Amino acid sequence: MSTEEKIYFTYNQIHNTIQKLSKQIIASGYDPDLIVAIGTGGFIPARIIKTYISKPILTVGLRLYDANNKPKAAPEKIQWIDEVEKKLKGKKILLVDEVDDSRVTLEYCLRELLSDEPAEIAVAVLHNKNKEKRGTIPEEVKQYWAGEELEDKWICYPWDAVDIDKHGL
Ligand code: G4P
Ligand code: MG
């Protein structure tokens, strides 16, 4: 993949996008009891959302790509705490991830969380890629926000940078 096919974002750009995203969520009237971050990509976005929507963050760990960067047949649960499941029942959840790409991980995670009988789940992603999706957002999920709509290119996040001073240069 050449650099033309990649998009780089800085921490500041991401923070600003999340500020706008959080304002949209607040303006909608959705007032979650809990934030659930999908790790690892959703950890930092969820923490920034908490600056604007100050609710406790629970985390679940899911991985679609293997050690050789090949997509697995289904997302793998890295961490799925029983404690989390108990805490979701009857609660309003804001599920956060960094990118809505194929939607496979998002759908898997939403279906798992819906089985814990939350009162409501809404989704917030930092970036949505405009592309044909393999996964679908279950119809029980009434609200979905994306901080920014992007073309289907590989996004380079600052937290993946080995040398942050050279990120995007
Ligand atoms: P989706 O449901 O949210 O659309 O995700 P999908 O299953 O398509 O794939 C999710 C995995 O792919 C995530 O990593 C996500 O970080 C990664 N991914 C997809 N597109 C991009 C991109 O443009 N840039 C980067 N940096 N990552 C991307 P994962 O394997 O689930 O684990 P983790 O990296 O979050 O730990
Ligand atoms: Mg991710």
Side-chain angles (χ1 to χ4, degrees), residues 52-65:
Y52 305 101
I53 301 172
S54 184
K55 294 293 155 75
I57 301 179
L58 302 180
T59 66
V60 294
L62 291 167
R63 184 171 60 194
L64 186 66
Y65 287 85

Side-chain angles (χ1 to χ4, degrees), residues 106-123:
L106 213 47
E107 176 178 358
Y108 175 84
C109 189
L110 284 164
R111 292 200 190 283
E112 291 291 311
L113 296 178
L114 282 163
S115 71
D116 298 323
E117 299 170 12
E120 222 174 316
I121 302 190
V123 178

Side-chain angles (χ1 to χ4, degrees), residues 15 17 24 29 34 36 43 53-54 64 73 80 88 91 95 101 104 107 119-120 130-131 140 146-147 152 159-160:
H15 206 113
T17 302
Q24 276 181 273
L34 292 168
V36 175
F43 289 165
I53 301 172
S54 184
L64 186 66
W80 201 274
L88 296 185
K91 295 283 168 53
L95 182 66
D101 181 32
V104 169
E107 176 178 358
E120 222 174 316
N130 285 309
K131 64 190 285 186
E140 295 92 320
D152 186 14
W159 48 81
D160 283 325

